[in-house]
Amino acid sequence: MVKHLAIIMDGNGRWAQQRGLSRSEGHRAGAENIGKITEAAIKYGIEYLTLYAFSTENWKRPAAEVDFLMHLIPVFCKTRLKPMLQNGVRLRTIGRTDDLPFFARKALLKAIDDTKNNTKLTLNLALSYGGRAEIVDAVNRLLADPERPQKIDEAAFGRYLYAPDIPDPDLMIRTSGEMRLSNFLLWELSYSELYVSPVHWPAFDEAELKKALDSFGSRDRRFGDVTAKK
Ligand code: FPP
């Protein structure tokens, strides 16, 4: 059973290129696909869906592409609000969201507030997110905490991460074929199962999600032990 699914939504650019469209069209289609996969995830009983929407490294992209992605955020918040309310989706974010432009932060804060009482699925958008940045931010929060424990173990450290109440992902899917983590959830993915799909994110549909979940269902998760734990 997958309680928490994490996805690296890769391949918007290649999807667009194959169709003679601009990269922006690829990102627009990618953003639209978030709604479809969120609804499919609810159908499969997934409770937490964490999506890598913008990394700390993505700031290095051409200014026009960064600008387009930033403007997609309020569009997404606005068009998805009604379906999120209808489907019981609670929106959250992880990452250095203070780095986002004001209009994007404002739209996110409103959608987060409007959906805060929903309980069916938590849609957690990683924005200006980096796994190393998250660990460094956690260390700094720990150092600044006058009530920090004298000795730190993994559980104590984990409480300083961006979303300490969300369980680690059971499964991480990367679309578009690349076999790397790209600085995504470095701490949280320690024991997650990995699944790479050749399909580009805008074309990754419910049937592809089902394939990934079926693959997960056939694996033995031993967490370093000798016997499988489900
Ligand atoms: C990777 O495609 C995708 C991204 C860098 C961003 C993901 C963003 C979205 C799915 C849409 C925006 C989301 C929100 C919440 C508004 P790529 O450009 O790296 O594709 P490529 O590797 O084929 O060039």
Side-chain angles (χ1 to χ4, degrees):
M1 186 60 187
V2 175
K3 188 168 177 174
H4 182 179
L5 171 65
I7 307 182
I8 299 179
M9 307 181 288
D10 197 12
N12 293 346
R14 278 163 284 175
W15 178 89
Q17 196 178 23
Q18 283 173 357
R19 287 158 182 79
L21 302 169
S22 65
R23 294 182 58 79
S24 297
E25 289 303 324
H27 292 315
R28 200 197 312 277
E32 278 165 20
N33 199 39
I34 293 176
K36 293 191 202 125
I37 290 300
T38 303
E39 273 144 41
I42 293 172
K43 212 169 117 178
Y44 292 116
I46 291 164
E47 291 174 43
Y48 301 92
L49 178 61
T50 298
L51 302 178
Y52 207 2
F54 195 86
S55 73
T56 46
E57 290 71 33
N58 286 152
W59 293 111
K60 291 186 283 201
R61 292 193 177 200
E65 182 168 346
V66 170
D67 194 55
F68 185 85
L69 284 165
M70 290 302 130
H71 281 92
L72 266 184
I73 294 173
V75 173
F76 174 85
C77 291
K78 211 168 165 216
T79 54
R80 293 303 303 164
L81 183 63
K82 205 170 155 196
M84 285 197 289
L85 291 171
Q86 276 167 350
N87 296 322
V89 175
R90 171 174 69 147
L91 186 70
R92 284 180 56 173
T93 60
I94 50 170
R96 291 183 172 166
T97 45
D98 287 351
D99 294 345
L100 301 176
F102 177 71
F103 62 84
R105 278 202 321 271
K106 195 173 129 203
L108 285 164
L109 286 174
K110 182 184 182 309
I112 289 168
D113 192 57
D114 288 348
T115 61
K116 66 173 188 271
N117 295 322
N118 291 342
T119 56
K120 194 91 189 154
L121 178 142
T122 298
L123 175 60
N124 188 28
L125 293 181
L127 287 162
S128 194
Y129 176 87
R132 289 185 177 181
E134 177 173 24
I135 293 168
V136 169
D137 288 352
V139 171
N140 282 315
R141 266 201 291 271
L142 171 79
L143 291 173
D145 180 3
E147 281 159 34
R148 67 177 179 270
Q150 279 302 306
K151 250 178 108 72
I152 297 294
D153 58 15
E154 290 179 14
F157 183 75
R159 286 195 278 277
Y160 292 90
L161 295 166
Y162 293 141
D165 55 318
I166 297 183
D168 288 343
D170 305 286
L171 173 66
M172 195 281 277
I173 299 174
R174 181 171 186 140
T175 62
S176 213
E178 238 75 68
M179 303 272 186
R180 49 176 179 262
L181 284 181
S182 299
N183 204 13
F184 190 40
L185 302 176
L186 296 181
W187 178 277
E188 297 86 343
L189 291 177
S190 295
Y191 281 102
S192 307
E193 294 295 322
L194 306 181
Y195 180 92
V196 175
S197 165
V199 178
H200 300 315
W201 171 250
F204 186 86
D205 59 9
E206 186 180 330
E208 295 299 331
L209 175 65
K210 172 91 169 41
K211 277 190 216 167
L213 296 176
D214 287 347
S215 163
F216 174 87
S218 69
R219 298 185 194 184
D220 280 344
R221 299 185 80 198
R222 292 188 295 275
F223 300 93
D225 205 338
V226 285
T227 47
K229 294 182 181 65
K230 278 282 172 184

